[in-house]
Amino acid sequence: AQSVTQLDSHVSVSEGTPVLLRCNYSSSYSPSLFWYVQHPNKGLQLLLKYTSAATLVKGINGFEAEFKKSETSFHLTKPSAHMSDAAEYFCVVSPNAGNNRKLIWGLGTSLAVNP
Amino acid sequence: NAGVTQTPKFRILKIGQSMTLQCAQDMNHNYMYWYRQDPGMGLKLIYYSVGAGITDKGEVPNGYNVSRSTTEDFPLRLELAAPSQTSVYFCASSYGTSAGNEQFFGPGTRLTVL
């Protein structure tokens, strides 16, 4: 069965320090993987996506993620947190790289950024 | 380009009432989706559509109906509202379903059933 696990429900960092949000997935197929961000009372915005090209994916706002097949992981990182990064982050997997209709969503990681 | 729009933003219903959540997109996307997001949870797919006149059930379709008469619009109907349908509803669209076709989301409708 396909699944996605976000290993931390809540992460707190200080402004200017690195961010690491962890995501593991399980898929019988070669997956597509996404990170979405949701700011308070806002809709969802795509941060970045992996689609079987380069394993290191760069997204918006300085975020990047590395696809590691051997570890079935797709962790999200940012070198230096900004106050505006405080939001909910969702790791999403599309089990079949050729069909993203039925995305599987993680439960989310809430990122707090302290001044 | 407005993207994906949803109305209303907020709604309170009484048990047994019905309502339609509206969703429209102006990107000429073939695929549209309805999700619900419960507190502390990820999104769950209710229904989706691959084009005008074609819809299919997602993960949690019970209690909902959809129609897709045009490419632009994809309304979600609640016939007999129940407290279990209290949630935030997101509509999304995408150009296709091949790898890398991201889904674009509307701002959401926050529904409370009392």
Side-chain angles (χ1 to χ4, degrees):
Chain A
Q2 288 76 30
S3 65
V4 58
T5 303
Q6 292 184 241
L7 298 168
D8 307 290
S9 60
H10 185 83
V11 170
S12 182
V13 300
S14 297
E15 191 175 20
T17 64
V19 175
L20 170 64
L21 305 183
R22 298 182 295 164
C23 174
N24 285 353
Y25 71 92
S26 170
S27 176
S28 303
Y29 307 96
S30 297
S32 293
L33 292 155
F34 308 82
W35 276 98
Y36 279 85
V37 61
Q38 184 178 30
H39 287 94
N41 299 314
K42 299 287 188 183
L44 291 132
Q45 181 182 21
L46 182 71
L47 271 181
L48 49 80
K49 60 188 178 187
Y50 165 77
T51 58
S52 75
T55 56
L56 182 62
V57 181
K58 293 188 185 299
I60 61 172
N61 299 336
F63 284 94
E64 60 182 40
E66 186 171 8
F67 174 71
K68 292 187 176 180
K69 186 175 181 179
S70 61
E71 299 176 10
T72 61
S73 68
F74 189 58
H75 300 335
L76 182 70
T77 60
K78 182 173 181 178
S80 176
H82 191 272
M83 295 296 289
S84 60
D85 295 327
E88 191 84 14
Y89 291 80
F90 293 96
C91 182
V92 184
V93 62
S94 170
N96 184 335
N99 183 340
N100 75 348
R101 282 180 293 188
K102 294 186 179 179
L103 301 180
I104 298 172
W105 291 71
L107 296 182
T109 297
S110 176
L111 175 65
V113 182
N114 306 309
Chain B
N1 226 354
V4 180
T5 57
Q6 292 182 239
T7 56
K9 285 188 167 50
F10 304 93
R11 184 72 184 268
I12 298 175
L13 284 181
K14 294 182 179 178
I15 294 172
Q17 286 185 318
S18 62
M19 76 163 293
T20 300
L21 282 68
Q22 300 291 345
C23 174
Q25 52 91 11
D26 62 359
M27 297 175 281
N28 202 31
H29 285 169
N30 291 322
Y31 296 83
M32 296 187 74
Y33 316 81
W34 273 106
Y35 292 92
R36 61 177 287 171
Q37 183 182 31
D38 299 322
M41 305 290 285
L43 273 66
K44 294 191 176 178
L45 183 65
I46 304 172
Y47 271 95
Y48 65 96
S49 168
V50 302
I54 307 170
T55 62
D56 204 352
K57 296 178 181 178
E59 188 181 359
V60 289
N62 291 343
Y64 307 94
N65 279 300
V66 293
S67 59
R68 183 99 181 269
S69 57
T70 66
T71 300
E72 295 77 18
D73 301 298
F74 190 41
L76 178 72
R77 178 87 177 158
L78 283 71
E79 291 293 349
L80 292 170
S84 61
Q85 294 177 304
T86 294
S87 190
V88 181
Y89 292 83
F90 289 101
C91 179
S93 72
S94 67
Y95 180 71
T97 62
S98 61
N101 271 317
E102 67 175 283
Q103 294 184 8
F104 294 82
F105 285 82
T109 294
R110 187 174 296 273
L111 176 66
T112 302
V113 182
L114 301 174

